Amino acid sequence: MATRFPTFFNTALSSSQSSSYLVRTTTGNLYAVLLSNNGRVVEVYKSLDNGSTWNRVDYSNSPVALNTIGLVTVAIDGSNNLHIIAAATSGTSVIYIKFITSTDLFSSREAIPNSASSFSSGSIAIDSNGNPHVALAISGSNTVRYNNRVGGFWRPVPVTVGSPTAPTNVDIQIDQNNNPQISYINTAAANGATVALGNKNNASSFTV
């Protein structure tokens, strides 16, 4: 699971990124996913010495967004590859980016279908087969949306999860049965926190 970078690392690496996430490979290398250039460029940094020094990798192929990115998050799979989602603050689709750590190169960039909307948070998790699963809290339509890339392509229509009011703090994890579980905060509910359980790996519905 990704962990937010401490502020002092943000300052050391770049003065303009608005989000950063850190993962560690099974070989012990650290990777940080950052935003720079006023939040319009997704950058990947690598450390071979437990965070003492950092180098930006695949500089020339860093994905550039047309609008300011308001969301970036990353998960790592069993082959040590990075799976990144990034979304502009409004008007464009959420972008999925894969980064191969064995070559330190970006390998793909895809728009997740029907993901353009006003969002408050997002999360990505990887199942045991290396497939990404994504959850987005859509504040503009009071929904949480789920999508995945099971079978080699994204669902053309995402699955709606619950009917929260102004959802936020969404998170997605894969359980011991390889099924997605989503949690989020329903800001209008008395207890606030909600967990939704997917019915299968390629989930078509969630039990709230």
Side-chain angles (χ1 to χ4, degrees):
M1 189 172 76
T3 304
R4 183 171 294 278
F5 248 29
T7 302
F8 58 84
F9 273 117
N10 285 351
T11 304
L13 289 171
S14 173
S15 61
S16 57
Q17 78 279 341
S18 58
S19 299
S20 58
Y21 288 88
L22 176 70
V23 292
R24 183 187 296 273
T25 67
T26 56
T27 58
N29 297 331
L30 294 173
Y31 284 85
V33 179
L34 309 171
L35 295 177
S36 68
N37 190 23
N38 297 318
R40 293 179 64 179
V41 179
V42 177
E43 301 178 349
V44 174
Y45 286 80
K46 179 180 183 179
S47 175
L48 299 174
D49 53 10
N50 206 33
S52 295
T53 59
W54 294 86
N55 292 295
R56 186 176 173 186
V57 288
D58 203 13
Y59 176 91
S60 60
N61 292 311
S62 291
V64 179
L66 296 177
N67 298 317
T68 301
I69 298 172
L71 162 71
V72 64
T73 187
V74 60
I76 190 167
D77 65 24
S79 299
N80 289 325
N81 297 318
L82 310 186
H83 300 257
I84 303 163
I85 55 171
T89 51
S90 63
T92 57
S93 295
V94 174
I95 301 299
Y96 164 75
I97 305 159
K98 189 174 182 180
F99 184 89
I100 308 300
T101 61
S102 60
T103 57
D104 282 338
L105 296 173
F106 291 98
S107 71
S108 61
R109 172 179 170 171
E110 304 167 352
I112 300 177
N114 292 294
S115 61
S117 189
S118 174
F119 61 87
S120 60
S121 60
S123 182
I124 184 170
I126 312 301
D127 67 25
S128 62
N129 299 312
N131 298 313
H133 298 249
V134 171
L136 297 169
I138 311 297
S139 56
S141 58
N142 291 330
T143 61
V144 171
R145 294 178 186 169
Y146 162 79
N147 209 325
N148 67 53
R149 205 175 180 279
V150 174
F153 56 90
W154 295 98
R155 287 173 172 269
V157 179
V159 177
T160 298
V161 182
S163 55
T165 301
T168 187
N169 295 94
V170 70
D171 187 34
I172 185 169
Q173 298 292 329
I174 305 300
D175 67 18
Q176 69 273 21
N177 297 316
N178 215 26
N179 298 335
Q181 297 195 18
I182 296 172
S183 65
Y184 56 89
I185 300 297
N186 183 354
T187 57
N191 56 8
T194 301
V195 175
L197 309 181
N199 63 330
K200 55 184 177 180
N201 174 252
N202 187 8
S204 57
S205 64
F206 285 79
T207 301
V208 175

